[in-house]
Amino acid sequence: MNKIRKASLIELPKFLDKRGNLSFIEEFNQIPFSIARSYWIYDVPGGEIRGGHAYRENEEFIVALSGSFDILIDNGEEVQRFHLNRSYYGLYIPKGLWRSMENFSTNSLALVLASTPYTPEDYIYNYTEFKKTYDKETNSL
C-alpha cells in the first residue's frame, strides 16, 4: 500500500543581506519534481477564488512572492487551509488533491511551479467526479 501524500509547507533557503534577501527553489532539491511549467497569478479582484480543481498527474509548488492568500487543500474527506504570506515558504501539492485559492491581499503575486505542461485532460473541474474517483489509500484518481 502506498503512503498517502499530503500537501506540505516547505521552508526555502534564505540568505539575509542588508542589500536585500535572496531565496531560491531547485527541482529535486526543495521540490520533488522537475519543473515543466511556471506561471503566476496576480491582480485578483477582491473576493475572487482561483483554482477549484484537481489534477490527475500534475504536482505543484506555490509561493506567495508578494502579499498573501490562502490555499485550501481537500483530499475528499478533510480540508486543510494554508496561509501563504512569506516568499521563503512554499506549498507543495501532490497530484490528486482538490485545491482552491482565496483571500488574496492587494497586490499579491502567486508563483506556481508545475511538474507537467498545460494539458486540459489532466484537470478535474467537477467536485462530485473528484470525490467518486479519489482513492484515499493511494492518493490517486
Side-chain angles (χ1 to χ4, degrees):
M1 173 171 47
N2 293 336
K3 182 180 177 187
I4 295 176
R5 294 168 56 192
K6 293 187 173 191
S8 55
L9 201 57
I10 297 172
E11 185 171 4
L12 299 170
K14 71 180 160 177
F15 295 92
L16 305 177
D17 189 302
K18 64 182 178 182
R19 300 168 297 163
N21 303 327
L22 181 143
S23 289
F24 63 87
I25 302 165
E26 295 175 336
E27 55 190 13
F28 300 116
N29 196 351
Q30 288 78 30
I31 58 175
F33 59 83
S34 178
I35 301 166
R37 174 173 48 123
S38 59
Y39 61 96
W40 42 99
I41 300 168
Y42 58 98
D43 292 343
V44 178
E48 287 297 320
I49 297 174
R50 298 291 313 219
H53 58 268
Y55 293 110
R56 289 177 171 79
E57 296 300 325
N58 188 52
E59 301 172 80
E60 289 185 330
F61 188 73
I62 303 174
V63 179
L65 291 180
S66 179
S68 65
F69 49 86
D70 294 339
I71 302 176
L72 281 69
I73 302 296
D74 184 337
N75 68 5
E77 293 196 344
E78 66 179 338
V79 176
Q80 290 180 281
R81 178 180 297 269
F82 295 89
H83 182 69
L84 295 184
N85 64 351
R86 299 281 186 253
S87 58
Y88 51 87
Y89 279 99
L91 183 65
Y92 167 65
I93 307 172
K95 67 181 181 178
L97 297 174
W98 190 269
R99 80 274 322 279
S100 61
M101 300 167 72
E102 61 182 36
N103 297 325
F104 287 87
S105 69
T106 302
N107 296 323
S108 59
L109 172 60
L111 172 66
V112 184
L113 305 176
S115 67
T116 64
Y118 173 71
T119 309
E121 299 77 31
D122 194 33
Y123 287 72
I124 298 175
Y125 288 108
N126 183 296
Y127 187 75
T128 303
E129 177 188 348
F130 163 75
K131 292 244 335 171
K132 285 181 185 175
T133 59
Y134 184 76
D135 182 343
K136 294 181 294 296
E137 295 296 316
T138 62
N139 192 44
S140 62
L141 300 167

